[in-house]
Amino acid sequence: MSAPTASYDSDDDDCRLPADTLAVLQEFLKEKELREQAEQSREKTGTDFEEDWQLSQFWYNTCTKEKLASVVRNLRKSLGDGLRVALLSAPSLYQHVKAVADNVTLFEFDQRFESVGSAFHHFDYKRAIEEDYLDECKESFDIILADPPFLAEECIEKLGIVVRKIAKPDCKVVLCSGYVVREWAEKHLKLELCKFEPEHERNLGNQFSSYANFNLDQVLAEES
């Protein structure tokens, strides 16, 4: 008589991973997926760069980026998909704003950000006094989020020239800069000091504030 043939079931307990091992494997696969998603996001947006202090770059923290993006989202409710957004010297906002608006233009001096593709527009605030500078963008944007690189009146004044040129007549403007520019923000951009205080990934010595030509604090309260 021949010996009985052994039978194996795929669901046999001996083929199952112990619960603790399975949990470790699942956690590993989850982390791997998140890393891949993050990498895909970086490749898509092209904004994963370190700050360049020589260019006076200081990135916002996540909370600030989310709050400023929520202002764009709020305006999109009334203007729809045709909303046009300009980011002036505020590259760290790009990913969050792009997530809530389709038409975003990044005006930036740092040419590393050419990696965002057609959304990039090389920008040098010092050229603002040139008569035909940015004529191709005249009266194009519904909302402008600006973060000038320097806390100097000359910088704010020239930024104001650019803002007036590229803004639509009813454009919403938000300026994030130091508290020390409050008089220049009113003088050159007609913006009022708001309660919202932008925060950065690094602790900076200067007090930062926000300025707007609309009730920014109310919008942020509505979106919170």
Side-chain angles (χ1 to χ4, degrees), residues 9-22:
D9 190 323
S10 61
D11 291 330
D12 193 285
D13 288 346
D14 291 340
C15 298
R16 295 178 183 175
L17 291 172
D20 56 347
T21 304
L22 181 61

Side-chain angles (χ1 to χ4, degrees), residues 67-218:
K67 287 184 176 181
L68 291 172
S70 76
V71 178
V72 176
R73 183 175 60 241
N74 181 278
L75 186 58
R76 185 175 181 175
K77 293 176 185 177
S78 58
L79 296 184
D81 294 342
L83 175 71
R84 296 195 65 187
V85 185
L87 303 178
L88 293 183
S89 301
S92 69
L93 288 179
Y94 182 80
Q95 292 187 28
H96 282 74
V97 172
K98 186 63 178 175
V100 299
D102 297 325
N103 197 329
V104 182
T105 300
L106 175 60
F107 293 85
E108 172 58 39
F109 183 80
D110 187 349
Q111 293 184 320
R112 289 180 300 171
F113 290 94
E114 286 181 344
S115 57
V116 303
S118 59
F120 177 82
H121 198 304
H122 188 256
F123 172 61
D124 184 351
Y125 78 89
K126 295 179 181 179
R127 296 184 59 192
I129 57 176
E130 297 177 15
E131 185 176 353
D132 60 350
Y133 187 55
L134 296 181
D135 275 357
E136 69 276 15
C137 301
K138 190 173 183 179
E139 295 186 0
S140 296
F141 295 98
D142 300 290
I143 182 168
I144 298 172
L145 304 176
D147 185 351
F150 303 111
L151 305 179
E153 182 172 11
E154 178 256 356
C155 183
I156 303 300
E157 180 179 10
K158 290 180 177 176
L159 187 82
I161 295 172
V162 170
V163 167
R164 287 191 293 275
K165 175 170 282 191
I166 69 174
K168 290 182 178 180
D170 57 349
C171 179
K172 301 290 190 297
V173 179
V174 178
L175 173 72
C176 295
S177 189
Y179 180 72
V180 297
V181 312
R182 60 194 181 281
E183 294 182 0
W184 305 328
E186 196 285 326
K187 177 181 178 181
H188 299 295
L189 286 155
K190 308 302 180 187
L191 304 180
E192 295 184 0
L193 178 66
C194 306
K195 293 181 181 179
F196 171 62
E197 296 182 356
E199 297 178 347
H200 298 79
E201 292 180 351
R202 304 176 188 274
N203 292 322
L204 304 180
N206 298 312
Q207 178 183 351
F208 277 78
S209 300
S210 62
Y211 309 83
N213 62 352
F214 63 102
N215 195 333
L216 173 64
D217 296 316
Q218 180 178 330

